[in-house]
Amino acid sequence: MKKQKSADKHQLKDGLQSDIKAKLMEMKSQLKEEDEKRQEREKAEQIRKKKEIEKNKSFEELLNERECNINCVSKECVRFLTHTVFYLIE
C-alpha cells in the first residue's frame, strides 16, 4: 500500500512537472512572438518618422543637401581629372 501511494505521488509529481514545463514553453514562445512584433512595430515607426522628416524638410534644407552632394562629387571629379592630367603629361 505504501509503495502504491509513493508511486501515485511520483506520477502526480511527473504530471505536474510536464504540465509546468509545457506552460513555460508556451509562455516562452508567446514572449518571443510578442518581442518580434514589437521589433517590427519599432522598425515601421522609425521608417515612418524618417519619411515624415524628409517630407517636412524645407526647400532650403533640400537644396543644401543637394549642393553638398554635388560639391563632394565635384571634388572627387577634380581630383580624378587632376591625377589623370598629370599622368598624361608624364
Side-chain angles (χ1 to χ4, degrees):
M1 198 65 174
K2 231 181 187 184
K3 287 183 180 181
Q4 180 65 26
K5 285 184 181 181
S6 178
D8 289 344
K9 284 183 182 179
H10 190 63
Q11 284 179 330
L12 180 61
K13 182 180 176 184
D14 289 344
L16 287 174
Q17 285 180 345
S18 63
D19 286 346
I20 291 171
K21 184 177 180 181
K23 287 181 182 179
L24 288 173
M25 295 299 286
E26 183 181 339
M27 288 174 63
K28 181 181 177 182
S29 65
Q30 286 176 346
L31 288 172
K32 184 178 180 181
E33 186 177 322
E34 289 174 9
D35 187 52
E36 289 173 355
K37 287 180 181 179
R38 180 189 54 79
Q39 288 178 351
E40 288 175 11
R41 284 192 307 268
E42 288 176 357
K43 186 175 181 179
E45 180 65 17
Q46 288 175 346
I47 291 170
R48 186 194 64 76
K49 284 181 179 179
K50 187 176 180 180
K51 286 182 180 181
E52 189 70 24
I53 290 170
E54 287 291 320
K55 187 174 104 176
N56 292 329
K57 283 186 179 179
S58 69
F59 180 74
E60 182 180 4
E61 289 172 317
L62 293 171
L63 185 60
N64 286 339
E65 286 179 5
R66 178 145 173 101
E67 286 177 359
C68 178
N69 290 339
I70 290 171
N71 287 337
C72 293
V73 170
S74 296
K75 289 177 184 176
E76 290 295 319
C77 289
V78 167
R79 275 192 225 117
F80 174 75
L81 291 173
T82 304
H83 289 290
T84 305
V85 168
F86 283 128
Y87 177 77
L88 293 173
I89 292 174
E90 295 176 346

